[in-house]
Amino acid sequence: MYLIDGKTPSTEEPPMPTFNDPVADADELREAVRGLAHATRSIEDPTSIYAVLGSISSALASLSQSLHQLGQFHDGPTRKQAWMNGDAHAGRAASYRESWELHRAAEMIHQVAECVDRAHEIEATIAYDIHDYPSFAPVQRSSRQPGMSL
């Protein structure tokens, strides 16, 4: 068991995405990415990197999609209904700027995802020598303790 920011992980089942509550799912994303940052501080099993990169790639694609969808919200009728300090023109302008930034961020994330995809492909070509990782090295038995015979 490990500690994150001094907190012991819960023994409860991990939260599942709601698929209909963007606030709760965004909070879950934040915690999951925080956990991943903690877990990747040291890699004990280098063969896990391939799976981690695959999951990150998929997550980045979903994040890019989510940012585009949030931007599209401001592209639609909402822009006409936006108010800022009682000023409809300022509200529409702010909604337009927000949409622009969200779509721009989504495209940047898409570019990052492409880089991760390439790293994922390269990782698939790498082999690791188990002798470099003690947890994978074969157990050495002493000649005096041959083990149990049946």
Side-chain angles (χ1 to χ4, degrees), residues 35-57:
L36 178 62
H38 179 82
T40 56
R41 288 186 305 167
S42 65
I43 304 293
E44 293 186 20
D45 177 359
T47 62
S48 68
I49 294 172
Y50 180 80
V52 170
L53 289 175
S55 294
I56 289 173
S57 176

PDB file of all heavy atoms in Angstrom, residues 35-57:
ATOM      1  N   GLY A  35      -2.880  10.197  -9.868  1.00  0.00           N
ATOM      2  CA  GLY A  35      -2.410   8.869  -9.478  1.00  0.00           C
ATOM      3  C   GLY A  35      -1.377   8.325 -10.454  1.00  0.00           C
ATOM      4  O   GLY A  35      -0.382   7.722 -10.050  1.00  0.00           O
ATOM      5  N   LEU A  36      -1.604   8.551 -11.749  1.00  0.00           N
ATOM      6  CA  LEU A  36      -0.646   8.106 -12.761  1.00  0.00           C
ATOM      7  C   LEU A  36       0.693   8.829 -12.593  1.00  0.00           C
ATOM      8  O   LEU A  36       1.756   8.208 -12.693  1.00  0.00           O
ATOM      9  CB  LEU A  36      -1.204   8.343 -14.167  1.00  0.00           C
ATOM     10  CG  LEU A  36      -0.286   7.971 -15.322  1.00  0.00           C
ATOM     11  CD1 LEU A  36       0.033   6.474 -15.307  1.00  0.00           C
ATOM     12  CD2 LEU A  36      -0.922   8.375 -16.641  1.00  0.00           C
ATOM     13  N   ALA A  37       0.642  10.118 -12.318  1.00  0.00           N
ATOM     14  CA  ALA A  37       1.886  10.871 -12.099  1.00  0.00           C
ATOM     15  C   ALA A  37       2.652  10.286 -10.918  1.00  0.00           C
ATOM     16  O   ALA A  37       3.883  10.172 -10.952  1.00  0.00           O
ATOM     17  CB  ALA A  37       1.576  12.350 -11.868  1.00  0.00           C
ATOM     18  N   HIS A  38       1.949   9.899  -9.890  1.00  0.00           N
ATOM     19  CA  HIS A  38       2.586   9.288  -8.724  1.00  0.00           C
ATOM     20  C   HIS A  38       3.159   7.908  -9.083  1.00  0.00           C
ATOM     21  O   HIS A  38       4.292   7.586  -8.751  1.00  0.00           O
ATOM     22  CB  HIS A  38       1.574   9.165  -7.586  1.00  0.00           C
ATOM     23  CG  HIS A  38       2.128   8.528  -6.355  1.00  0.00           C
ATOM     24  ND1 HIS A  38       2.863   9.226  -5.431  1.00  0.00           N
ATOM     25  CD2 HIS A  38       2.074   7.249  -5.912  1.00  0.00           C
ATOM     26  CE1 HIS A  38       3.235   8.398  -4.468  1.00  0.00           C
ATOM     27  NE2 HIS A  38       2.763   7.200  -4.733  1.00  0.00           N
ATOM     28  N   ALA A  39       2.372   7.115  -9.781  1.00  0.00           N
ATOM     29  CA  ALA A  39       2.762   5.736 -10.091  1.00  0.00           C
ATOM     30  C   ALA A  39       3.932   5.654 -11.064  1.00  0.00           C
ATOM     31  O   ALA A  39       4.685   4.679 -11.045  1.00  0.00           O
ATOM     32  CB  ALA A  39       1.564   4.968 -10.657  1.00  0.00           C
ATOM     33  N   THR A  40       4.101   6.659 -11.902  1.00  0.00           N
ATOM     34  CA  THR A  40       5.177   6.611 -12.896  1.00  0.00           C
ATOM     35  C   THR A  40       6.464   7.269 -12.410  1.00  0.00           C
ATOM     36  O   THR A  40       7.405   7.402 -13.179  1.00  0.00           O
ATOM     37  CB  THR A  40       4.734   7.262 -14.231  1.00  0.00           C
ATOM     38  OG1 THR A  40       4.295   8.597 -13.973  1.00  0.00           O
ATOM     39  CG2 THR A  40       3.645   6.450 -14.896  1.00  0.00           C
ATOM     40  N   ARG A  41       6.525   7.626 -11.141  1.00  0.00           N
ATOM     41  CA  ARG A  41       7.779   8.190 -10.612  1.00  0.00           C
ATOM     42  C   ARG A  41       8.906   7.182 -10.712  1.00  0.00           C
ATOM     43  O   ARG A  41      10.050   7.538 -10.904  1.00  0.00           O
ATOM     44  CB  ARG A  41       7.604   8.649  -9.162  1.00  0.00           C
ATOM     45  CG  ARG A  41       6.764   9.894  -9.046  1.00  0.00           C
ATOM     46  CD  ARG A  41       6.720  10.407  -7.644  1.00  0.00           C
ATOM     47  NE  ARG A  41       6.270   9.344  -6.751  1.00  0.00           N
ATOM     48  CZ  ARG A  41       6.364   9.389  -5.435  1.00  0.00           C
ATOM     49  NH1 ARG A  41       6.878  10.439  -4.846  1.00  0.00           N
ATOM     50  NH2 ARG A  41       5.929   8.392  -4.698  1.00  0.00           N
ATOM     51  N   SER A  42       8.582   5.934 -10.558  1.00  0.00           N
ATOM     52  CA  SER A  42       9.580   4.881 -10.757  1.00  0.00           C
ATOM     53  C   SER A  42       8.871   3.707 -11.421  1.00  0.00           C
ATOM     54  O   SER A  42       7.770   3.334 -11.028  1.00  0.00           O
ATOM     55  CB  SER A  42      10.216   4.461  -9.434  1.00  0.00           C
ATOM     56  OG  SER A  42       9.267   3.864  -8.593  1.00  0.00           O
ATOM     57  N   ILE A  43       9.519   3.167 -12.426  1.00  0.00           N
ATOM     58  CA  ILE A  43       8.945   2.054 -13.182  1.00  0.00           C
ATOM     59  C   ILE A  43       9.692   0.792 -12.790  1.00  0.00           C
ATOM     60  O   ILE A  43      10.893   0.679 -13.005  1.00  0.00           O
ATOM     61  CB  ILE A  43       9.088   2.286 -14.706  1.00  0.00           C
ATOM     62  CG1 ILE A  43       8.449   3.604 -15.127  1.00  0.00           C
ATOM     63  CG2 ILE A  43       8.543   1.105 -15.485  1.00  0.00           C
ATOM     64  CD1 ILE A  43       6.954   3.656 -14.976  1.00  0.00           C
ATOM     65  N   GLU A  44       8.988  -0.129 -12.161  1.00  0.00           N
ATOM     66  CA  GLU A  44       9.618  -1.383 -11.761  1.00  0.00           C
ATOM     67  C   GLU A  44       9.500  -2.439 -12.846  1.00  0.00           C
ATOM     68  O   GLU A  44      10.334  -3.316 -12.946  1.00  0.00           O
ATOM     69  CB  GLU A  44       9.006  -1.872 -10.451  1.00  0.00           C
ATOM     70  CG  GLU A  44       9.340  -0.943  -9.291  1.00  0.00           C
ATOM     71  CD  GLU A  44       8.857  -1.494  -7.973  1.00  0.00           C
ATOM     72  OE1 GLU A  44       8.620  -2.708  -7.870  1.00  0.00           O
ATOM     73  OE2 GLU A  44       8.699  -0.682  -7.047  1.00  0.00           O
ATOM     74  N   ASP A  45       8.455  -2.362 -13.648  1.00  0.00           N
ATOM     75  CA  ASP A  45       8.243  -3.326 -14.721  1.00  0.00           C
ATOM     76  C   ASP A  45       8.244  -2.569 -16.043  1.00  0.00           C
ATOM     77  O   ASP A  45       7.234  -1.978 -16.429  1.00  0.00           O
ATOM     78  CB  ASP A  45       6.909  -4.045 -14.524  1.00  0.00           C
ATOM     79  CG  ASP A  45       6.589  -5.025 -15.640  1.00  0.00           C
ATOM     80  OD1 ASP A  45       7.394  -5.149 -16.589  1.00  0.00           O
ATOM     81  OD2 ASP A  45       5.518  -5.659 -15.563  1.00  0.00           O
ATOM     82  N   PRO A  46       9.378  -2.562 -16.748  1.00  0.00           N
ATOM     83  CA  PRO A  46       9.441  -1.788 -17.988  1.00  0.00           C
ATOM     84  C   PRO A  46       8.483  -2.296 -19.058  1.00  0.00           C
ATOM     85  O   PRO A  46       8.116  -1.549 -19.963  1.00  0.00           O
ATOM     86  CB  PRO A  46      10.896  -1.940 -18.428  1.00  0.00           C
ATOM     87  CG  PRO A  46      11.361  -3.193 -17.778  1.00  0.00           C
ATOM     88  CD  PRO A  46      10.612  -3.291 -16.478  1.00  0.00           C
ATOM     89  N   THR A  47       8.045  -3.533 -18.944  1.00  0.00           N
ATOM     90  CA  THR A  47       7.100  -4.042 -19.942  1.00  0.00           C
ATOM     91  C   THR A  47       5.718  -3.403 -19.783  1.00  0.00           C
ATOM     92  O   THR A  47       4.890  -3.502 -20.679  1.00  0.00           O
ATOM     93  CB  THR A  47       6.986  -5.579 -19.867  1.00  0.00           C
ATOM     94  OG1 THR A  47       6.479  -5.944 -18.582  1.00  0.00           O
ATOM     95  CG2 THR A  47       8.334  -6.248 -20.103  1.00  0.00           C
ATOM     96  N   SER A  48       5.488  -2.733 -18.671  1.00  0.00           N
ATOM     97  CA  SER A  48       4.195  -2.065 -18.465  1.00  0.00           C
ATOM     98  C   SER A  48       4.112  -0.746 -19.232  1.00  0.00           C
ATOM     99  O   SER A  48       3.015  -0.214 -19.423  1.00  0.00           O
ATOM    100  CB  SER A  48       3.948  -1.823 -16.976  1.00  0.00           C
ATOM    101  OG  SER A  48       4.860  -0.852 -16.474  1.00  0.00           O
ATOM    102  N   ILE A  49       5.243  -0.226 -19.689  1.00  0.00           N
ATOM    103  CA  ILE A  49       5.257   1.067 -20.370  1.00  0.00           C
ATOM    104  C   ILE A  49       4.382   1.028 -21.619  1.00  0.00           C
ATOM    105  O   ILE A  49       3.653   1.983 -21.908  1.00  0.00           O
ATOM    106  CB  ILE A  49       6.698   1.499 -20.702  1.00  0.00           C
ATOM    107  CG1 ILE A  49       7.458   1.772 -19.401  1.00  0.00           C
ATOM    108  CG2 ILE A  49       6.717   2.722 -21.605  1.00  0.00           C
ATOM    109  CD1 ILE A  49       8.940   2.021 -19.582  1.00  0.00           C
ATOM    110  N   TYR A  50       4.421  -0.061 -22.356  1.00  0.00           N
ATOM    111  CA  TYR A  50       3.620  -0.174 -23.580  1.00  0.00           C
ATOM    112  C   TYR A  50       2.134   0.004 -23.268  1.00  0.00           C
ATOM    113  O   TYR A  50       1.432   0.778 -23.924  1.00  0.00           O
ATOM    114  CB  TYR A  50       3.872  -1.528 -24.259  1.00  0.00           C
ATOM    115  CG  TYR A  50       3.096  -1.718 -25.523  1.00  0.00           C
ATOM    116  CD1 TYR A  50       3.526  -1.147 -26.715  1.00  0.00           C
ATOM    117  CD2 TYR A  50       1.919  -2.449 -25.538  1.00  0.00           C
ATOM    118  CE1 TYR A  50       2.809  -1.308 -27.889  1.00  0.00           C
ATOM    119  CE2 TYR A  50       1.186  -2.617 -26.699  1.00  0.00           C
ATOM    120  CZ  TYR A  50       1.647  -2.042 -27.874  1.00  0.00           C
ATOM    121  OH  TYR A  50       0.912  -2.195 -29.033  1.00  0.00           O
ATOM    122  N   ALA A  51       1.644  -0.695 -22.259  1.00  0.00           N
ATOM    123  CA  ALA A  51       0.226  -0.593 -21.891  1.00  0.00           C
ATOM    124  C   ALA A  51      -0.116   0.804 -21.376  1.00  0.00           C
ATOM    125  O   ALA A  51      -1.184   1.345 -21.691  1.00  0.00           O
ATOM    126  CB  ALA A  51      -0.125  -1.647 -20.842  1.00  0.00           C
ATOM    127  N   VAL A  52       0.788   1.385 -20.603  1.00  0.00           N
ATOM    128  CA  VAL A  52       0.547   2.736 -20.073  1.00  0.00           C
ATOM    129  C   VAL A  52       0.446   3.737 -21.220  1.00  0.00           C
ATOM    130  O   VAL A  52      -0.464   4.571 -21.261  1.00  0.00           O
ATOM    131  CB  VAL A  52       1.655   3.138 -19.072  1.00  0.00           C
ATOM    132  CG1 VAL A  52       1.553   4.612 -18.698  1.00  0.00           C
ATOM    133  CG2 VAL A  52       1.587   2.264 -17.818  1.00  0.00           C
ATOM    134  N   LEU A  53       1.380   3.649 -22.181  1.00  0.00           N
ATOM    135  CA  LEU A  53       1.331   4.568 -23.324  1.00  0.00           C
ATOM    136  C   LEU A  53       0.057   4.372 -24.142  1.00  0.00           C
ATOM    137  O   LEU A  53      -0.533   5.349 -24.619  1.00  0.00           O
ATOM    138  CB  LEU A  53       2.567   4.391 -24.206  1.00  0.00           C
ATOM    139  CG  LEU A  53       3.879   4.906 -23.619  1.00  0.00           C
ATOM    140  CD1 LEU A  53       5.044   4.549 -24.537  1.00  0.00           C
ATOM    141  CD2 LEU A  53       3.813   6.401 -23.372  1.00  0.00           C
ATOM    142  N   GLY A  54      -0.389   3.145 -24.294  1.00  0.00           N
ATOM    143  CA  GLY A  54      -1.635   2.887 -25.012  1.00  0.00           C
ATOM    144  C   GLY A  54      -2.819   3.533 -24.322  1.00  0.00           C
ATOM    145  O   GLY A  54      -3.685   4.148 -24.969  1.00  0.00           O
ATOM    146  N   SER A  55      -2.862   3.422 -23.011  1.00  0.00           N
ATOM    147  CA  SER A  55      -3.965   4.032 -22.253  1.00  0.00           C
ATOM    148  C   SER A  55      -3.889   5.558 -22.299  1.00  0.00           C
ATOM    149  O   SER A  55      -4.925   6.229 -22.425  1.00  0.00           O
ATOM    150  CB  SER A  55      -3.933   3.553 -20.801  1.00  0.00           C
ATOM    151  OG  SER A  55      -4.214   2.176 -20.740  1.00  0.00           O
ATOM    152  N   ILE A  56      -2.694   6.105 -22.198  1.00  0.00           N
ATOM    153  CA  ILE A  56      -2.535   7.562 -22.272  1.00  0.00           C
ATOM    154  C   ILE A  56      -2.969   8.055 -23.648  1.00  0.00           C
ATOM    155  O   ILE A  56      -3.651   9.080 -23.766  1.00  0.00           O
ATOM    156  CB  ILE A  56      -1.089   7.981 -21.952  1.00  0.00           C
ATOM    157  CG1 ILE A  56      -0.802   7.768 -20.466  1.00  0.00           C
ATOM    158  CG2 ILE A  56      -0.840   9.437 -22.346  1.00  0.00           C
ATOM    159  CD1 ILE A  56       0.647   7.982 -20.070  1.00  0.00           C
ATOM    160  N   SER A  57      -2.604   7.331 -24.687  1.00  0.00           N
ATOM    161  CA  SER A  57      -2.989   7.710 -26.043  1.00  0.00           C
ATOM    162  C   SER A  57      -4.505   7.768 -26.172  1.00  0.00           C
ATOM    163  O   SER A  57      -5.065   8.741 -26.706  1.00  0.00           O
ATOM    164  CB  SER A  57      -2.407   6.707 -27.036  1.00  0.00           C
ATOM    165  OG  SER A  57      -2.836   6.990 -28.335  1.00  0.00           O
TER     166      SER A  57
END
